[in-house]
Amino acid sequence: MSSTSRHSVNPEARHFGRHEVAPIVIAHRGASAFRPEHTLLAYTVAISMGADYIEPDLVSTKDHVLVARHENELSATTDVARHPEFADRRTSKIINGIRHTGWFTEDFTLEELRTLRARERFPKERRENTAYDGTERIPTLDEVVQLAQEHGVGVYAETKFPTYFASIGLPLEEPLLETFARYGWDDERDPAFIQSFETGNLKRLRPLTRLRLIQFVGATGAPYDLASAGDPLTYDDMVTPEGLREIAKYADGIGLVTKRIGPGDPGGLDGRPVSPVELVRNAQRERASSVHATVPSQARRRAAPGGGTQGRHLRARGAPPNRCEEVVKPTVPGSTWTE
């Protein structure tokens, strides 16, 4: 199967150094406002709406197969509670310092997960999506990549809870690289990104791959791997010039929640340590050359067609507005900005 991407033929694309700078739409969890998240159906709808990349969150099964779920606990997004044969799998675990109770992907083989069906996470807010409950399986990373290549789009993959999965002998990085390589994606020019809210796994990945790596930066707190090791570095520290300079040593860009760069409350920046303009300029200066952010989920449904999110939501050529969750916009040579 060949490695394809819309970017390879995008007439709007420009090249600066080893990066291509062009507006892109990233479908976060697929078209999750229109179909149950992280299903092949949600990804397919997102592609039809104009997405350039589909974004799977990745967790592991018991037999070390990567599957697309926002978290490894299954009860919110599948019908696992209706399967009496798995009743004894319900348990409690501490993951990233927080206690969770339910059913977890790492306690199921892929064959067992195949018997489950996806359902809408927010049935009250997304009533229309419940019509698709029970119709879709949990997709594997292989299936996500196959779908992307079939439609000529890319994959923007996030590793979920990498410290936790490594601690139970199911590290995410090796099968992720192996899967991408199996489909011909192993270079910085290929339509694949790997992102993480943690730092250690990105640093370990850097000497192993030429694929583009993205450091996610949360609104508050700190990367779990650093906090659990007693490192005082916070996400606020990471958006300073010094922090961005450190990120640029191992990552190709940063991913931001919109609280970092979006409009603040009237009269203030909500306590943000760095203003949005300063943050993007610093990222450009420190060569953290790709910047993207997630558009708030409530904006996707309520925005009027063509109106955008506060008049500033951008879209890729041919993509309907307000239908996919992440949009990337070029600013100056060597960097991209998102709203």
Side-chain angles (χ1 to χ4, degrees), residues 210-230:
R210 297 181 65 191
L211 292 172
R212 289 165 289 184
L213 306 180
I214 300 295
Q215 176 67 66
F216 253 151
V217 178
T220 60
Y224 177 75
D225 58 324
L226 298 183
S228 63

Side-chain angles (χ1 to χ4, degrees), residues 96 158-164 173 194-207 213-218 221-229 231-239 243-244 246-251 253-254:
N96 284 18
E158 180 183 347
T159 56
K160 301 293 291 189
F161 316 123
T163 293
Y164 168 76
E173 296 75 27
I194 300 173
Q195 57 189 342
S196 179
F197 275 106
E198 297 188 17
T199 64
N201 67 322
L202 293 178
K203 291 178 180 179
R204 290 190 295 273
L205 280 166
R206 183 70 290 165
L213 306 180
I214 300 295
Q215 176 67 66
F216 253 151
V217 178
Y224 177 75
D225 58 324
L226 298 183
S228 63
D231 192 312
L233 188 74
T234 67
Y235 286 128
D236 282 352
D237 297 326
M238 296 174 75
V239 298
L244 292 168
E246 181 63 28
I247 290 173
K249 294 178 181 178
Y250 62 87
I254 57 175

Side-chain angles (χ1 to χ4, degrees), residues 65-137:
V65 178
L66 299 189
V67 295
R69 291 288 90 187
H70 183 257
E71 58 276 315
N72 51 334
E73 204 285 299
L74 292 163
S75 60
T77 61
T78 76
D79 62 355
V80 63
R82 297 183 178 182
H83 286 255
E85 68 272 25
F86 298 135
D88 61 350
R89 306 280 180 95
R90 190 172 188 270
T91 187
S92 294
K93 300 186 181 190
I94 304 296
I95 300 170
N96 284 18
I98 300 174
R99 184 180 181 85
H100 298 270
T101 299
W103 292 262
F104 298 84
T105 59
E106 64 270 24
D107 297 329
F108 291 76
T109 65
L110 177 61
E111 182 178 1
E112 290 172 330
L113 280 185
R114 292 296 202 192
T115 68
L116 307 182
R117 292 297 179 267
R119 66 183 183 93
E120 172 55 43
R121 177 191 294 275
F122 302 112
K124 293 182 180 179
E125 294 83 355
R126 300 171 177 170
R127 291 187 296 273
E128 299 92 339
N129 285 8
T130 62
Y132 303 95
D133 285 358
T135 64
E136 291 285 302
R137 302 188 305 184

Side-chain angles (χ1 to χ4, degrees), residues 183-327:
Y183 294 94
W185 288 352
D186 58 9
D187 186 76
E188 62 200 11
R189 303 303 303 168
D190 292 323
F193 290 81
I194 300 173
Q195 57 189 342
S196 179
F197 275 106
E198 297 188 17
T199 64
N201 67 322
L202 293 178
K203 291 178 180 179
R204 290 190 295 273
L205 280 166
R206 183 70 290 165
L208 301 177
T209 183
R210 297 181 65 191
L211 292 172
R212 289 165 289 184
L213 306 180
I214 300 295
Q215 176 67 66
F216 253 151
V217 178
T220 60
Y224 177 75
D225 58 324
L226 298 183
S228 63
D231 192 312
L233 188 74
T234 67
Y235 286 128
D236 282 352
D237 297 326
M238 296 174 75
V239 298
T240 64
E242 296 77 13
L244 292 168
R245 194 173 303 124
E246 181 63 28
I247 290 173
K249 294 178 181 178
Y250 62 87
D252 298 281
I254 57 175
L256 305 167
V257 296
T258 47
K259 290 182 179 180
R260 291 281 179 187
I261 59 173
D265 287 339
L269 292 174
D270 304 319
R272 288 177 289 195
V274 181
S275 73
V277 171
E278 183 182 2
L279 172 52
V280 174
R281 285 177 177 170
N282 289 341
Q284 295 166 354
R285 186 178 302 116
E286 302 303 334
R287 301 182 66 80
S289 57
S290 175
V291 183
H292 90 264
T294 302
V295 175
S297 59
Q298 63 271 25
R300 294 189 302 278
R301 276 291 191 186
R302 73 183 181 207
T309 302
Q310 300 199 13
R312 301 179 63 194
H313 187 118
L314 302 180
R315 60 190 176 94
R317 182 168 40 87
N322 307 306
R323 297 303 176 90
C324 298
E325 295 191 16
E326 300 179 20
V327 184

